[in-house]
Amino acid sequence: MSIQYQIKPQSPNAHIYEVVLRLSKPNSEGQCFSLPNWIPGSYMIRDFSKNIVEIQAFACGKKISLEKTGKNSWKTEPNLPELELRYSVYAWDLSVRAAHLDAQHGFFNGTSVFIEAIGFEAEPIQLEIIPPDGEAYKNWKLASSLIPSDVDSLGFGHYLAVNYDELLDHPVEMGEFERVSFEACGVPHDIVLTGRFDADLDRICADLKTICEYHIHFFGLPAPVEKYVFLVMVVGNGYGGLEHRASTSLLVSRKNLPAKGVSGINDDYLDFLGLCSHEYFHTWNVKRIKPAAFVPYKLESEVYTQLLWAFEGITSYYDDLALVRCGLIDEKRYLKLLGKTITRVYRGAGRLKQSVGDSSFDAWSKFYKQDENAPNAIVSYYAKGSLIALCLDAEMRVRSNNEVGLDDLMRRLWTDWKKTQKGLEEREIEEIVSELVGISLHDFFDLAIRSTKDLPLEAALEHFGTDTFWRAAKTATDLGGEANEEVQKPATGMRWKAHAKGIELTHVLDGGAAQLGGLSAGDLVIAVDSYAIDPAGLELYLSRTCAGQTLTVAFFRHDELHSVEIALQEAEKDTCYLIASPKGESAFSSWLSSKNPS
Ligand code: ZN
């Protein structure tokens, strides 16, 4: 093979991987190289090249010059018969997006460690992964969805990738992890768990099998993968995931895993199942069906698309919907989850300023770089995107007399992808929806994707036999989703977190009492009406106040003490809960128990 990579955890305590890239026929005009600046699925420039510590080039055993041509690019001299690039990568980022290495375990994404040889991106690649030296690492194993060609019993050795794009899309975990396995529709699935935990792994296998089989049947057999791996990093406090073509990397908290001997699904475990369901659905929706702008991924700089509502929003709609449809949770529990999502969207005034299409387009500089003003300025293409998917599902059913719905759209997109493997143009989904329904839905898309008007949400839910109710938040930690006794607690228009000296304001909402009174995010509030406060004390104090009442707030901004008066406002009814309507029983059950085609 004309291109080979070799990677080894060289120095776990220093967090250093050593990588060797060998080229048998480099470009005679001088070989160019570059490292990605972002990782697919996480739309932010991350400049992975900042972690390349040392880099050297060799030809026929002799060191040669290597010119730096950009922050992440290099070029050799011309006319080299062969070429070897040797470099070290610092890996100390415990996230799903980059690379990590210490004496406990190693994890890497190809985007962090494999420099691209320009001009060779379509060539097949051989990859050798070598275990770290030393007795301490003799029990390390390797887990990945890479295709092995010659590996030992622990998983170290040689792997193959059909091209550079594939090389980047199989993250690798190594260490003394736990591995459990199950089959879904005949396809082997591994769950690889790293970190300290005590959990019922049999239960996780059984529940993930149910979810994976639901999704495979949803899109239709056969599954698009020959093997699938859930790489799970278990930590004290964390939550997130990143999708890949035949695996996913997850970072979860210990509490997200089910305890042994406990039945039922608590909210923490439900979050884990929802995350797994989400990433697995991406195996079809974004890893294969994807925006044309991502074909191929251009990892040098930002790639713009308005379509993330379809890839993250529709995926977010189906991640929880699959849990009720496959019987892991009941309808009431699903409505609670949906009520929380609706609450999250409707509590942000940013939804009235930024369209979902713009949120997607500007993900690089806004959604992925959220600051204290985010609730006032931006909308999530995940959360609002999932409500668009819900409304689109209802619109399609209403306008087609229940002939087609969103399930049919997803299956059509999948069938099309299998035929052409082409990406979707920016308005192509809208055309396909109109074609499936038989009439144009452009008015719906103009409103949902390109405007900042609220969605026809209550009508959509009514179509699905569900009544929507709104109430005021009961406490600062009230996330919605459930009915709650009506409490006329006034609104402060601020969000906060605990601080050793009081509370620190994290967000100040547009037009709210705090903003009108002169408070800002970052202010450290130490007293209200001359009483020292902490989060619990403030909640208690507020529960005894009413709208119109004025509070004197003492706070530090930077290191200067200030005092302002804020006039409490009537609490907005921005907290949603949903109840199945007795009238809409058949629509409700056809929505939530939609069976997959056999
Ligand atoms: Zn996602």
Side-chain angles (χ1 to χ4, degrees):
M1 251 173 237
S2 60
I3 176 159
Q4 296 174 4
Y5 290 83
Q6 185 187 75
I7 183 166
K8 178 181 177 183
Q10 184 65 34
S11 179
N13 287 329
H15 322 298
I16 296 288
Y17 287 102
E18 282 291 337
V19 187
V20 182
L21 162 52
R22 293 190 186 95
L23 275 184
S24 57
K25 292 179 204 108
N27 188 328
S28 59
E29 289 166 20
Q31 178 63 46
C32 294
F33 297 97
S34 81
L35 188 71
N37 285 324
W38 61 279
I39 179 167
S42 183
Y43 306 103
M44 185 172 135
I45 297 298
R46 295 187 188 273
D47 287 334
F48 298 119
S49 58
K50 72 184 178 199
N51 291 315
I52 297 203
V53 182
E54 286 182 293
I55 181 164
Q56 293 182 323
F58 298 85
C60 308
K62 267 178 47 198
K63 192 175 167 200
I64 54 165
S65 66
L66 185 66
E67 183 195 351
K68 190 110 202 267
T69 53
K71 66 180 177 183
N72 63 326
S73 57
W74 301 262
K75 188 176 182 182
T76 66
E77 56 200 69
N79 301 318
L80 298 167
E82 48 130 45
L83 178 57
E84 193 172 285
L85 209 58
R86 291 181 166 266
Y87 55 97
S88 54
V89 182
Y90 178 68
W92 193 230
D93 178 347
L94 191 64
S95 79
V96 296
R97 305 175 215 103
H100 182 263
L101 177 65
D102 64 12
Q104 277 68 53
H105 79 117
F107 169 83
F108 64 79
N109 282 294
T111 36
S112 282
V113 295
F114 298 131
I115 290 178
E116 177 183 0
I118 306 294
F120 288 79
E121 43 284 338
E123 300 277 315
I125 289 168
Q126 192 180 74
L127 166 66
E128 184 182 12
I129 309 177
I130 301 173
D133 292 328
E135 194 61 14
Y137 306 104
K138 70 176 194 314
N139 294 324
W140 274 32
K141 299 169 282 187
L142 186 146
S144 169
S145 51
L146 277 162
I147 309 298
S149 69
D150 179 18
V151 300
D152 64 21
S153 60
L154 297 170
F156 290 96
H158 293 87
Y159 289 87
L160 295 174
V162 293
N163 53 30
Y164 181 71
D165 180 55
E166 192 194 342
L167 179 73
L168 297 187
D169 206 17
H170 295 286
V172 171
E173 172 68 38
M174 52 184 109
E176 295 184 39
F177 48 73
E178 288 244 27
R179 175 162 29 204
V180 285
S181 304
F182 64 91
E183 277 198 359
C185 301
V187 175
H189 287 60
D190 284 349
I191 310 171
V192 172
L193 300 107
T194 297
R196 286 188 195 164
F197 61 90
D198 184 24
D200 187 345
L201 300 185
D202 292 340
R203 173 111 192 266
I204 299 177
C205 274
D207 290 343
L208 290 193
K209 178 184 170 74
T210 303
I211 293 168
C212 295
E213 290 192 336
Y214 178 84
H215 288 313
I216 294 170
H217 284 294
F218 177 87
F219 284 101
L221 289 163
V225 293
E226 283 169 23
K227 166 190 168 181
Y228 190 89
V229 185
F230 290 90
L231 294 174
V232 188
M233 226 176 301
V234 189
V235 296
N237 188 20
Y239 186 77
L242 194 59
E243 65 277 6
H244 298 280
R245 68 185 62 188
S247 63
T248 178
S249 307
L250 309 173
L251 181 84
V252 300
S253 304
R254 236 157 262 142
K255 65 176 183 180
N256 289 124
L257 303 181
K260 287 175 189 153
V262 177
S263 59
I265 295 175
N266 66 17
D267 285 352
D268 292 323
Y269 183 42
L270 186 55
D271 286 344
F272 175 76
L273 295 177
L275 181 64
C276 292
S277 177
H278 181 98
E279 303 306 342
Y280 199 74
F281 193 86
H282 272 318
T283 310
W284 294 264
N285 195 38
V286 95
K287 291 316 303 187
R288 289 172 177 80
I289 307 163
K290 62 174 79 161
F294 292 170
V295 185
Y297 286 114
K298 294 170 274 294
L299 301 175
E300 180 68 23
S301 53
E302 293 88 343
V303 176
Y304 298 105
T305 174
Q306 292 211 331
L307 281 175
L308 293 179
W309 71 268
F311 294 96
E312 290 303 346
I314 292 178
T315 301
S316 298
Y317 176 55
Y318 279 107
D319 59 18
D320 290 339
L321 192 58
L323 302 183
V324 62
R325 285 184 175 178
C326 74
L328 282 172
I329 59 172
D330 63 18
E331 287 92 350
K332 207 171 154 206
R333 194 86 181 269
Y334 175 69
L335 292 185
K336 183 178 163 189
L337 289 173
L338 186 55
K340 281 181 168 180
T341 304
I342 296 170
T343 302
R344 211 158 61 233
V345 173
Y346 280 76
R347 278 190 190 163
R351 78 184 195 284
L352 304 172
K353 298 182 189 125
Q354 187 188 45
S355 70
V356 163
D358 286 347
S359 175
S360 168
F361 194 90
D362 285 331
W364 306 87
S365 55
K366 294 193 172 183
F367 188 78
Y368 270 92
K369 292 188 178 174
Q370 291 186 36
D371 61 16
E372 68 288 342
N373 199 41
N376 296 326
I378 68 169
V379 68
S380 163
Y381 52 79
Y382 283 82
K384 189 174 172 190
S386 75
L387 301 186
I388 293 173
L390 170 89
C391 292
L392 179 58
D393 198 357
E395 288 288 332
M396 290 178 74
R397 293 175 197 229
V398 170
R399 298 201 204 187
S400 70
N401 271 326
N402 281 318
E403 286 289 314
V404 291
L406 196 66
D407 297 0
D408 301 285
L409 170 67
M410 297 318 293
R411 289 176 194 133
R412 164 68 185 270
L413 295 176
W414 177 234
T415 308
D416 287 357
W417 184 85
K418 281 190 289 184
K419 277 189 216 141
T420 66
Q421 312 216 339
K422 269 173 58 184
L424 291 162
E425 299 300 334
E426 293 291 289
R427 301 273 178 114
E428 202 171 339
I429 290 176
E430 300 173 29
E431 304 296 334
I432 294 170
V433 167
S434 298
E435 187 195 317
L436 283 173
V437 174
I439 47 168
S440 168
L441 263 77
H442 289 120
D443 56 334
F444 172 80
F445 288 110
D446 282 343
L447 174 106
I449 314 301
R450 290 178 282 277
S451 93
T452 55
K453 295 198 185 93
D454 276 331
L455 296 166
L457 188 65
E458 296 188 20
L461 285 162
E462 197 186 328
H463 174 76
F464 287 135
T466 302
D467 292 330
T468 310
F469 300 89
W470 297 94
R471 61 175 175 81
K474 197 179 173 195
T475 64
T477 51
D478 178 357
L479 302 177
E482 287 175 298
N484 222 324
E485 72 215 65
E486 194 73 24
V487 188
Q488 280 307 315
K489 188 181 66 65
T492 58
M494 61 193 198
R495 297 176 188 166
W496 58 82
K497 63 180 182 187
H499 186 281
K501 292 179 181 152
I503 59 163
E504 185 183 335
L505 303 192
T506 54
H507 303 89
V508 168
L509 306 179
D510 269 358
Q515 191 186 66
L516 295 176
L519 291 168
S520 295
D523 288 346
L524 171 56
V525 177
I526 54 166
V528 170
D529 288 349
S530 303
Y531 296 107
I533 53 150
D534 58 16
L538 181 60
E539 284 284 4
L540 183 64
Y541 194 74
L542 288 173
S543 72
R544 300 167 67 98
T545 59
C546 56
Q549 192 174 329
T550 300
L551 305 182
T552 304
V553 180
F555 65 97
F556 281 105
R557 181 173 297 173
H558 313 306
D559 60 350
E560 296 174 4
L561 183 63
H562 300 270
S563 176
V564 294
E565 301 216 318
I566 69 168
L568 295 174
Q569 296 174 336
E570 196 82 48
E572 231 185 290
K573 292 194 190 300
D574 58 4
T575 305
C576 176
Y577 62 98
L578 306 170
I579 296 179
S581 137
K583 294 186 300 210
E585 215 176 302
S586 78
F588 186 72
S589 78
S590 98
W591 173 41
L592 295 189
S593 59
S594 257
K595 291 282 172 282
N596 281 323
S598 50

